[in-house]
Amino acid sequence: MKLLRVGAKGAEKPAILDNNGTIRDLSGVVDDIAGEVLTPDGLSRISGADLSSLPELDAGQRIGPCVGSVGKFICIGLNYADHAAETGADIPKEPILFMKATSAICGPNDEVMIPKNSIKPDWEVELGIVIGKEARNVEEADAMEHVAGYCVVNDLSERHFQIERGGQWVKGKSADTFGPIGPWMVTRDEVADPQNLKMWLEVDGHRYQDGSTQTMIFGVQHLVHYISQFMSLQPGDIITTGTPPGVGMGIKPEPVWLKPGNVMRLGVEGLGEQQQTVVAYAAK
């Protein structure tokens, strides 16, 4: 199933993309694509619905974040061997964990706003894991039972804040609009092998990232197991799993940073595409 949320910010309706590419309203079946709806029981309720009887939604409406009320937005750093090489970093011995503020989450095609005092805004196409069953100290062999599905994530970063301002990476990752997710969550049963997905990102039509989840250092199964040793994972939590090479910071001879007017397009095989226009900071 491809589950999404459609409508104005804060007023999104739960929806499903049927086999004909029509967006159907799930409001009569579930309240939202969030929390308990992402558990096996919740997904079973959706899969049992007669899609042909559900109202069609206007395909021109805004697509919101594919998961609502996200509790934790957990990120994995330097998780692609080829990306670690481009940054000059050593291959991590264990997954590098950091958090991204949930207030960074936005729709897959919403504008991305460069934060105030930003110097080095950057892009990162990533595979996102959506948790569907509480995970606490799970064995690696059982980890996939706790995954509801997958989505595209653009883990936008402000490298000056992240690297040169001291402290944890979270400050360079958490600006408003720095977490587009979607367009939809694809349920686990429809992704045969999350470790064999092509992924790409373009800025103004130039392809900077062209990679594959094959080069992940720590795969999906291991990450769910590993993170669950340090914190419980709840339905609706998102783990974004790292990026392949081609980020702006790694471009030679000079890095390339995002600027107002740039248009990013990105996607992960089988999970859909995103497109964001970059805009300058504007105080509310």
Side-chain angles (χ1 to χ4, degrees), residues 4 52 91 105 111 161 217 222 262:
L4 64 160
S52 64
I91 300 296
I105 292 172
E111 291 180 337
F161 296 174
I217 298 165
H222 182 74
N262 286 155

Side-chain angles (χ1 to χ4, degrees), residues 1-3 43 148-150 185-191:
M1 295 185 292
K2 294 180 175 64
L3 304 177
L43 294 178
Y150 306 94
M185 185 199 82
V186 179
T187 50
R188 175 166 52 95
D189 59 296
E190 293 194 4
V191 180

Side-chain angles (χ1 to χ4, degrees), residues 32-187:
D32 199 358
I33 308 300
E36 293 304 307
V37 171
L38 293 163
T39 66
D41 285 346
L43 294 178
S44 178
R45 190 157 74 249
I46 295 173
S47 66
D50 176 10
L51 298 191
S52 64
S53 69
L54 300 177
E56 294 186 20
L57 291 174
D58 179 3
Q61 287 192 74
R62 170 184 178 267
I63 297 177
C66 58
V67 178
S69 303
V70 175
K72 292 190 287 296
F73 200 173
I74 304 163
C75 306
I76 311 300
L78 297 174
N79 194 34
Y80 282 68
D82 37 9
H83 172 55
E86 79 171 339
T87 65
D90 294 332
I91 300 296
K93 294 182 172 59
E94 295 189 39
I96 297 171
L97 306 186
F98 61 94
M99 308 295 280
K100 195 174 182 85
T102 56
S103 54
I105 292 172
C106 66
N109 304 315
D110 290 348
E111 291 180 337
V112 164
M113 184 173 65
I114 295 177
K116 186 178 181 179
N117 300 320
S118 172
I119 298 174
K120 300 176 179 180
D122 203 351
W123 58 80
E124 295 188 21
V125 60
E126 305 201 3
L127 170 69
I129 306 167
V130 181
I131 297 297
K133 179 181 174 183
E134 184 180 63
R136 182 183 290 112
N137 291 307
V138 300
E139 297 296 328
E140 187 160 351
D142 301 324
M144 299 303 283
E145 297 174 12
H146 299 265
V147 175
Y150 306 94
C151 64
V152 181
V153 178
N154 191 351
D155 177 24
L156 287 138
S157 310
E158 210 303 334
R159 303 300 188 186
H160 176 63
F161 296 174
Q162 176 189 355
I163 299 169
E164 301 168 38
R165 295 285 299 271
Q168 298 182 345
W169 289 0
V170 63
K171 70 176 69 171
K173 298 284 186 170
S174 295
D176 290 353
T177 74
F178 267 32
I181 61 172
W184 33 74
M185 185 199 82
V186 179
T187 50

